């Protein structure tokens, strides 16, 4: 009865639009991630305020806020499928690659929204230098892609576990440690006033990390999803 | 011609044996009823057939013209309805149908959606969120999703669960319609349902 036409791009888009619709109607993940981000930022700003922190400390604080905010919401896409029982229908119908990519793009949208809200507030509440924004925006984009690339697969792994939240952070941490070190190092250099050309090696590392994580996840996802 | 065969299939959960020694082979145009008391493993057997549970022993093979089918081909050819299969509550019936059609590699027009909903007695309810549906209406919507394709394998677990008499007629008509072109497997305890199948696989004996 229906017409055969949809390729991987259409299937991926369908998963993404479905997750976006569900999120806009229920706001489980967005609320969790924003509440956590804003609360952590408020705590940090009250604790350190405009006290002239070093660029290294500022960069570390920023990415710690991002890491824990991501941990509070990025697993929701898969956890919701398991908790509401819709995972079975999805497994029996959808191409696993389309499911992974749809969820990856959804997580990217979620974390990007959070970043757009949190980042200006971070500059307002701390004395982080904001005169070298172009390279920082580039680091943010690569950081968000890297965080989503690594955590989307882990979200699928922990979705069936009893203690999802704790397990998500524990499993993600070793994978994200190298990314966080790279992000903190690159952000520190940007806060120190270095240009895009001067942080080229850090950017190469961030691109490589994102490519490896996403490629590895696409290859492994089918096995995680079907088990 | 499609074939579904199992070879010495067994499933255990820890020390508890659910079933063992399940052997059958059915081809297009044939139907099988899986019967047995509560807890005998009917739903477990269906989940093993659908590769949602790993068998402890034995194997399941989906074949087309005697060649084994890969995962994508099986997904394309299987429709499954069960009380524990859940659709998206916070999407409308129309959004659910369009979503499942698209991820299965098809596209569906608004007219086709209306026609499918009418076939399962849900005409005029396509724009309602599924969360507001009764359990019987949700079951009917699952049949609409199953009918998005002409499946070579129609697998039904307690097919008339939650349905009123009119809903049961819809299911029986669907089974009649697909009987010649599909392999139909029904897990049930209801006499009127397992009498629809030509072969019976008894569990828990």
């Amino acid at each position: 009865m229906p017409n055969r036409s949809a390729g991987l791009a259409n299937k991926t888009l369908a998963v993404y639009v479905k997750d976006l619709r569900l999120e806009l109607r229920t706001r489980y993940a967005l609320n969790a991630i924003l509440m956590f981000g804003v609360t952590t930022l408020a705590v940090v700003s009250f604790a350190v305020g405009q006290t002239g922190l070093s660029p290294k400390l500022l960069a570390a604080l920023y990415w710690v806020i991002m890491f824990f905010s991501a941990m509070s919401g990025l697993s929701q896409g898969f956890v919701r499928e398991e908790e509401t029982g819709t995972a079975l229908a999805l497994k029996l119908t959808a191409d696993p690659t389309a499911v992974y990519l749809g969820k990856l793009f959804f997580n990217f949208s979620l974390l990007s929204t959070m970043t757009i809200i949190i980042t200006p507030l971070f500059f307002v509440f701390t004395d982080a230098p904001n005169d070298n924004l172009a390279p920082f925006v580039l680091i943010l984009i690569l950081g968000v892609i890297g965080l989503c690339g690594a955590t989307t697969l882990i979200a699928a792994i922990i979705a069936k576990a009893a203690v999802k939240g704790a397990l998500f952070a524990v499993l993600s941490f070793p994978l994200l440690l190298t990314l966080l070190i790279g992000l903190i190092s690159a952000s520190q250099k940007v806060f120190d006033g270095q240009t895009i050309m001067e942080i080229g090696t850090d950017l190469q590392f961030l691109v490589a990390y994102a490519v490896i994580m996403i490629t590895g996840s696409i290859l492994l996802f089918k096995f995680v999803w079907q088990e | 011609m499609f074939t579904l065969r199992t070879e010495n299939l067994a499933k255990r959960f820890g020390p508890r044996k659910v079933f063992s020694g399940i052997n059958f082979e059915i081809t297009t145009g044939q139907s099988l009823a899986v019967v047995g008391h509560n807890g005998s493993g009917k739903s477990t057997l269906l989940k093993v057939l659908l590769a949602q549970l790993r068998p402890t022993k034995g194997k399941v093979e989906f074949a087309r013209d005697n060649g084994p089918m890969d995962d994508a081909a099986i997904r394309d050819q299987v429709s499954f309805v069960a009380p524990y299969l859940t659709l998206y509550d916070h999407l409308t019936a129309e959004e659910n149908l369009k979503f499942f059609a698209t991820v299965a590699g098809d596209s569906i027009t608004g007219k086709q959606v209306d026609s499918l909903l009418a076939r399962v007695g849900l005409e005029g309810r396509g724009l309602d969120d599924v969360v507001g549906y009764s359990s019987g209406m949700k079951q009917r919507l699952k049949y609409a999703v199953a009918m998005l394709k002409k499946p070579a394998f129609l697998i039904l677990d307690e097919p008339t669960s939650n349905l009123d008499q009119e809903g049961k007629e819809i299911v029986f008509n669907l089974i009649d319609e697909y009987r010649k072109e599909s392999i139909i497997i029904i897990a049930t305890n209801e006499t009127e349902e397992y009498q629809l199948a030509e072969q019976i696989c008894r569990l828990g004996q």
Side-chain angles (χ1 to χ4, degrees):
Chain A
M1 186 164 158
N3 317 303
R4 274 214 93 79
S5 69
L8 180 64
N10 280 347
K11 294 175 189 176
T12 301
L13 187 66
V15 174
Y16 172 73
V17 170
K18 182 266 295 174
D19 275 350
L20 209 57
R21 267 198 186 121
L22 289 174
E23 183 54 37
L24 291 173
R25 288 174 194 174
T26 59
R27 298 215 177 91
Y28 287 139
L30 193 62
N31 282 351
I33 212 166
L34 274 178
M35 293 273 281
F36 201 97
V38 172
T39 310
T40 317
L41 180 63
V43 170
V44 167
S45 66
F46 278 122
V48 298
Q50 310 274 335
T51 53
L53 291 178
S54 68
K56 188 164 192 172
L57 264 177
L58 281 169
L61 280 176
Y62 179 82
W63 285 107
V64 165
I65 294 169
M66 287 290 287
F67 170 74
F68 283 108
S69 303
M71 289 301 101
S72 68
L74 290 191
S75 62
Q76 288 300 316
F78 283 107
V79 169
R80 186 165 44 199
E81 300 279 3
E82 289 294 342
E83 286 184 347
T84 57
T86 51
L88 178 60
L90 197 57
K91 282 176 189 171
L92 293 176
T93 324
D95 179 348
T97 307
V99 174
Y100 172 76
L101 290 175
K103 301 276 183 197
L104 176 70
F105 292 139
F106 171 70
N107 278 347
F108 181 75
S109 303
L110 204 61
L111 202 55
S112 298
T113 307
M114 210 264 320
T115 307
I116 288 167
I117 295 170
I118 293 291
T119 309
L121 292 174
F122 179 79
F123 282 104
V124 170
F125 289 133
T126 65
D127 61 349
N130 57 7
D131 50 353
N132 193 18
L133 282 181
F136 189 65
V137 169
L138 196 57
I139 293 167
L140 282 183
I141 294 169
L142 292 173
V144 169
I145 294 173
L147 276 170
C148 294
T151 54
T152 303
L153 181 72
I154 295 168
I157 294 171
I158 61 101
K160 284 182 180 169
V163 280
K164 299 173 177 63
L167 202 57
F168 187 48
V170 167
L171 285 183
S172 298
F173 186 68
L175 268 184
L176 292 179
L177 189 60
T178 46
L179 174 69
L180 288 172
I181 290 169
L183 287 167
I184 291 168
S185 157
S187 303
Q188 176 204 343
K189 290 173 185 168
V190 168
F191 290 155
D192 271 334
Q194 293 190 22
T195 62
I196 289 180
M197 299 305 287
E198 287 168 320
I199 59 165
T201 314
D202 296 270
L203 295 177
Q204 279 172 2
F205 166 76
L206 296 176
V207 170
Y209 181 92
V211 170
I212 290 168
M213 279 300 153
I214 293 171
T215 310
S217 296
I218 289 172
L219 294 173
L220 292 173
F221 181 73
K222 182 185 165 189
F223 305 102
V224 171
W225 183 233
Q226 296 296 348
E227 276 303 311
Chain B
M1 174 74 82
F2 291 91
T3 308
L4 173 57
R5 69 175 70 89
T6 63
E7 225 178 86
N8 203 21
L9 207 58
K11 180 67 188 171
R12 280 181 170 277
F13 287 119
R16 190 174 74 83
K17 184 184 92 177
V18 184
F19 54 75
S20 63
I22 304 289
N23 292 290
F24 62 76
E25 178 171 328
I26 43 176
T27 54
T28 302
Q30 296 182 323
S31 50
L32 173 80
V34 180
V35 299
H37 57 76
N38 292 344
S40 59
K42 299 187 293 295
S43 298
T44 304
L45 175 58
L46 296 195
K47 286 177 187 169
V48 169
L49 294 179
L50 292 164
Q52 298 307 306
L53 283 176
R54 201 190 282 265
T56 311
K57 218 171 94 180
K59 67 173 187 176
V60 177
E61 189 181 72
F62 287 78
R64 180 179 206 161
D65 300 328
N66 276 327
M69 294 163 69
D70 63 17
D71 291 348
I74 294 170
R75 263 199 316 273
D76 271 355
Q77 295 296 340
V78 172
S79 280
F80 177 60
V81 178
Y84 47 84
L85 186 84
T86 312
L87 303 179
Y88 294 97
D89 272 353
H90 292 282
L91 296 184
T92 65
E94 188 176 316
E95 286 167 347
N96 266 291
L97 285 169
K98 285 186 172 170
F99 170 70
F100 282 108
T102 312
V103 292
D106 299 319
S107 65
I108 186 169
T109 64
K111 219 172 179 177
Q112 288 170 322
V113 168
D114 291 342
S115 151
L116 270 175
L117 290 174
R119 282 188 69 187
V120 295
L122 291 175
E123 56 270 60
R125 302 299 300 269
L127 298 179
D128 295 351
D129 278 1
V130 174
V131 72
Y133 277 23
S134 70
S135 51
M137 290 166 75
K138 286 180 182 173
Q139 183 78 349
R140 286 174 185 228
L141 183 58
K142 291 175 205 171
Y143 279 100
V145 172
M147 284 191 276
L148 280 168
K149 53 191 165 196
K150 215 46 171 176
F153 304 89
L154 180 61
I155 302 179
L156 308 173
D157 195 352
E158 297 181 32
T160 58
S161 165
N162 298 321
L163 291 175
D164 55 16
Q165 196 50 45
E166 188 197 311
K168 287 180 182 177
E169 290 303 325
I170 291 168
V171 175
F172 296 149
N173 289 338
L174 174 78
I175 292 172
D176 267 348
E177 184 186 326
Y178 286 2
R179 186 178 291 282
K180 280 185 187 161
E181 295 166 19
S182 304
I183 287 169
I184 300 176
I185 298 179
I186 304 170
T188 183
N189 277 321
E190 301 288 330
T191 316
E192 62 175 340
E193 289 172 11
Y194 69 69
Q195 281 176 344
L196 295 167
E198 297 132 7
Q199 301 176 45
I200 290 186
C201 169
R202 284 187 195 281
L203 298 181
Q205 285 185 317

